Amino acid sequence: MSQSLKIDNLHASVDGHEILKGLTLEVPKGEVHAIMGPNGSGKSTLAKVIAGHEDYVVTEGSVTLDGTDLLALEIDERSRAGFFLAFQYPHEIPGVSNANFLRAARQARLPKGEEIDAVAFYREMYAKMDQLGMDRKFTGRSVNEGFSGGEKKRNEILQMMILDPKYAVLDETDSGLDIDALKIVAQGVNAMRSPERGFLVITHYQRLLDYIVPDVVHVLSDGRIVKTGDKSLALELEEKGYDWVTKELAAA
Amino acid sequence: MTDSATLEAVSIDQDEGNFSYPEDYAHDAGYGLTEKTIDYISDIKGEAEWIREFRKRALKVFNDKPMPTHWASEDLNNIVFDHIRYYLAKGQRPTRSWDEVPDDVKETFERLGIPEKERKYLAGVEAQFDSEAAYSNVKEELTKEGVIFVNSTEALREHPEVFRPWFGKVIPTGDNKFSALNSAVFSGGSFIYVPPGVKVKHPLQAYFRINAENFGQFERTLILVDEGAEVTYMEGCTAPKFETATLHSAVVELVAMKDAKIQYITVQNWSNNVFNLVTKRGLAHENAEIRWIDCNIGSRLTMKYPGVIMKGRKARGEVISIALANDGQHQDTGAKMIHAADETTSNIVAKSISVGTGRSTYRGQVHIPRHLKGCKNNTECDALLINATSRTDTYPAITVRGNRHATQHEASVSQVSEDQIFYMKQRGLSEGEAMSLSVNGFVNDLVREFPMEYSVELKRLIDMEMEGSVG
């Protein structure tokens, strides 16, 4: 059984339009992969399809997590199987405090009838918030409600830390972040890098990859991975622009 | 635990009010309502003649008044008054000790957790089983301070000088058809008097339990809080799930004298065969405060619009209301604020949740006449629709005359967005858990107004109601 998040020949469409057109990539456990691509190439679609968003229809291909067929699972089952998506636009949940939400998510991972150890949970949550430079007041505030863009993204990383996934997809986590917030978020991700976890970092800009240094960089264009390389590929892209890849592809 | 024991524990937990004990009543007024029914009730209670007269006049008013279906639900026409029993009792007097309560009645209240709650955090408890209280006890120190907490029969017999002047004064018999019905056949309920300056620290609680089928429960409550005194009263209600309709029609009158404070908290979880038609109103004198904190879950049709008449200068009235209408249920709730003095302030915050084919209706009446000055009202009503088949309606009637007042009204209808549920499910919550959490979030600011023990209970009830509402 492969220890990886494996996406094989994935085709997916929304409202009858095919967005992913045979996407293949594999993130082995312990590695950080980045996906870069121009707007409209299908980056966010990929994240939502792996998570199981119901607006998207998978017409062909597979996604497996350490050999488990993710596409056969419900959205919440995928989460509990160890898949985490850091959202580009995290949603607000009015009236539900951050602490309660995290606690409910953790509780959902326990066998039926087993209760979460509240004291230990709060201790852990506070420690992780300190690590991310988050004020304690965020525990009592409604999830993402009235948060700034940076606060929302930081909150996503906090959730990721608390839920301790096997594989995480970060969907344009850098968008809307100033450089200080970006550094803190990257620190959080780097602290979570481990031989037991894989990351797929989706980004439009190379900037984030200065702080979260990837093992592998993929370029996504028109629903397919068109180029794969090491971290230098990101710098090359930054320099030459996405046109370079598309042109090179057209020439090939 | 064995599987069956687990199953049993779980099924009681999820549906804790749904059980009943065999009927063995010493007193049964039989089916239907006539003057004979009233004589039967009055005779058993050994009532004063003026009460019997009061009842008989009320019966006439009840018979003369049409069903209010010109504005209210047509479902009212499905109540068959001849198929209802108006008085059922085991013939016992309320005891001060749970040990003396008949076994089946005691077991009922134990299963509902009442004695336990009493030990933990209540200053006094009354437990009514069908028509009469089976248990009534108030902490001794309160009795010494002159606090009275008894049922209606005992109150009118033992303390007429205290209660008679206010009885039927806040809600006159003819207020509506169901207040007239209650006035004709009332039994049980809580009559409370708090003497001047006495601040009752812990809440007093009543629990109303319907055990019998084809029965009507008509408790009558009058709470009289003297100058500068304070009390919190809580009521809970349940009934088993019968096939046929059961009627619950209470009248609750509150009187807050100068500088007094009354907080009246209701958490009802009626089974969905119950017609719950209740009239609740308070009279607030100078600088007095009356708050109704009301949570309506269950029942087939609830019609309830707690009100406050602000009669003295600087009196304050408040209604905090949560209603949850599930499949086949109609919560028709709201508030009435009658400003009758200068500088009076009222606040209404109502939130409703409609699930499945459930329907919530908000009706609000705010009245501020021209000759007054400095009155304020704030009204907020928010509705949450869970399914495409759910329904909500809002009928606010705010009448403000003159230009020396301030009023504010906000209303909203919302749905839990699919993206919000997607987000929560991505974190590992099932669809049901995500919906429960969202709904609890929607009412969270109001749930905080309930005492701790009740807010925990409320959250659990909402979770139960939301189970299976999605998918």
Side-chain angles (χ1 to χ4, degrees), chain A residues 56-73:
Chain A
Y56 298 86
V57 182
V58 174
T59 50
E60 208 183 327
S62 67
V63 180
T64 52
L65 187 152
D66 293 348
T68 303
D69 179 7
L70 271 194
L71 300 182
L73 301 180

Side-chain angles (χ1 to χ4, degrees), chain A residues 34 165 189 242:
Chain A
V189 173
Y242 285 112

Side-chain angles (χ1 to χ4, degrees), chain A residues 34-36 149-150 153 172-187 190 201-214 217 231 233-239 242:
Chain A
I35 287 195
M36 301 183 71
K153 295 301 170 72
E172 305 217 14
T173 296
D174 50 334
S175 70
L177 287 191
D178 61 32
I179 198 73
D180 292 328
L182 185 69
K183 280 182 187 167
I184 291 169
V185 164
Q187 262 171 28
N190 288 329
V201 180
I202 296 175
T203 181
H204 188 77
Y205 301 104
Q206 191 273 336
R207 188 180 69 154
L208 177 67
L209 305 181
D210 286 340
Y211 301 98
I212 303 174
V213 181
V217 174
K231 62 184 177 194
L233 177 57
L235 293 166
E236 204 174 348
L237 264 180
E238 178 86 347
E239 201 180 306
Y242 285 112

Side-chain angles (χ1 to χ4, degrees), chain B residues 249-268:
Chain B
S249 190
V251 165
V252 177
E253 299 176 284
L254 309 183
V255 180
M257 303 307 285
K258 186 169 180 275
D259 301 324
K261 283 186 183 172
I262 304 177
Q263 184 160 252
Y264 191 107
I265 301 165
T266 304
V267 175
Q268 67 166 55

Side-chain angles (χ1 to χ4, degrees), chain B residues 27-98:
Chain B
H27 304 299
D28 179 348
Y31 292 90
L33 177 55
T34 64
E35 285 217 347
K36 277 185 191 156
T37 322
I38 287 172
D39 283 328
Y40 183 90
I41 296 171
S42 266
D43 287 347
I44 285 171
K45 290 178 177 287
E47 283 177 341
E49 202 52 37
W50 72 268
I51 305 175
R52 192 184 300 254
E53 289 303 311
F54 176 88
R55 290 180 183 279
K56 289 189 175 171
R57 273 199 311 275
L59 176 62
K60 195 170 174 319
V61 176
F62 167 69
N63 285 329
D64 289 348
K65 271 195 183 290
M67 272 294 186
T69 43
H70 58 289
W71 61 271
S73 170
E74 294 279 339
D75 196 21
L76 287 173
N77 289 330
N78 293 316
I79 304 173
V80 184
F81 290 100
D82 287 342
H83 291 177
I84 289 171
R85 289 176 288 178
Y86 291 81
Y87 184 84
L88 283 176
K90 290 177 183 279
Q92 85 284 5
R93 291 235 161 159
T95 68
R96 286 180 61 99
S97 155
W98 284 106

Side-chain angles (χ1 to χ4, degrees), chain A:
Chain A
M1 192 173 66
S2 62
Q3 293 290 301
S4 64
L5 179 65
K6 188 174 179 188
I7 300 155
D8 191 27
N9 188 33
L10 189 64
H11 291 255
S13 44
V14 61
D15 295 332
H17 298 287
E18 188 168 61
I19 311 277
L20 301 183
K21 302 170 179 173
L23 190 149
T24 299
L25 72 83
E26 183 170 10
V27 182
K29 199 167 256 189
E31 293 189 6
V32 175
H33 288 211
I35 287 195
M36 301 183 71
N39 290 329
S41 57
K43 299 191 302 283
S44 285
T45 298
L46 175 63
K48 284 181 181 160
V49 169
I50 304 174
H53 196 290
E54 280 150 6
D55 287 351
Y56 298 86
V57 182
V58 174
T59 50
E60 208 183 327
S62 67
V63 180
T64 52
L65 187 152
D66 293 348
T68 303
D69 179 7
L70 271 194
L71 300 182
L73 301 180
E74 294 292 327
I75 300 162
D76 52 316
E77 292 171 331
R78 295 180 196 198
S79 166
R80 296 195 298 271
F83 173 72
F84 183 90
L85 170 61
F87 283 64
Q88 184 178 5
Y89 303 108
H91 289 280
E92 300 180 355
I93 313 175
V96 178
S97 75
N98 237 347
N100 268 349
F101 182 53
L102 285 170
R103 195 175 154 167
R106 269 285 274 276
Q107 177 74 48
R109 283 159 170 78
L110 296 178
K112 229 185 160 69
E114 203 173 302
E115 277 292 320
I116 199 167
D117 176 348
V119 177
F121 169 75
Y122 271 88
R123 197 177 295 139
E124 180 190 336
M125 182 173 62
Y126 287 147
K128 286 175 174 159
M129 290 176 77
D130 290 348
Q131 204 180 333
L132 289 169
M134 280 176 84
D135 194 288
R136 296 273 165 97
K137 70 171 192 258
F138 283 101
T139 51
R141 283 178 59 181
S142 294
V143 179
N144 296 326
E145 203 177 34
F147 286 26
S148 71
E151 286 164 349
K152 282 183 181 174
K153 295 301 170 72
R154 221 179 284 198
N155 206 28
E156 292 292 285
I157 302 303
L158 174 66
Q159 292 180 28
M160 179 166 74
M161 291 174 123
I162 296 276
L163 297 181
D164 194 26
K166 291 178 183 155
Y167 297 92
V169 171
L170 277 59
D171 187 8
E172 305 217 14
T173 296
D174 50 334
S175 70
L177 287 191
D178 61 32
I179 198 73
D180 292 328
L182 185 69
K183 280 182 187 167
I184 291 169
V185 164
Q187 262 171 28
V189 173
N190 288 329
M192 286 187 75
R193 285 179 88 147
S194 110
E196 295 305 311
R197 195 178 345 260
F199 285 94
L200 185 59
V201 180
I202 296 175
T203 181
H204 188 77
Y205 301 104
Q206 191 273 336
R207 188 180 69 154
L208 177 67
L209 305 181
D210 286 340
Y211 301 98
I212 303 174
V213 181
D215 299 299
V216 179
V217 174
H218 306 274
V219 180
L220 180 65
S221 176
D222 194 24
R224 264 183 296 254
I225 300 294
V226 292
K227 205 170 175 61
T228 295
D230 62 14
K231 62 184 177 194
S232 63
L233 177 57
L235 293 166
E236 204 174 348
L237 264 180
E238 178 86 347
E239 201 180 306
K240 299 183 180 169
Y242 285 112
D243 282 352
W244 162 64
V245 185
T246 6
K247 275 177 198 151
E248 195 180 64
L249 194 69

Side-chain angles (χ1 to χ4, degrees), chain A residues 53 76 79-80 83-85 87 91-96 101 104-105 108-109 144 156 159, chain B residues 417-420 422-431 433 437-438 440-442 444 448:
Chain A
H53 196 290
D76 52 316
S79 166
R80 296 195 298 271
F83 173 72
F84 183 90
L85 170 61
F87 283 64
H91 289 280
E92 300 180 355
I93 313 175
V96 178
F101 182 53
R109 283 159 170 78
N144 296 326
E156 292 292 285
Q159 292 180 28
Chain B
S417 80
E418 281 177 28
D419 279 337
Q420 183 180 320
F422 173 66
Y423 184 66
M424 297 169 90
K425 283 168 82 174
Q426 208 299 308
R427 299 306 184 240
L429 302 179
S430 69
E431 182 137 359
E433 287 164 342
L437 207 55
S438 300
N440 272 301
F442 173 70
N444 190 27
R448 272 192 230 134

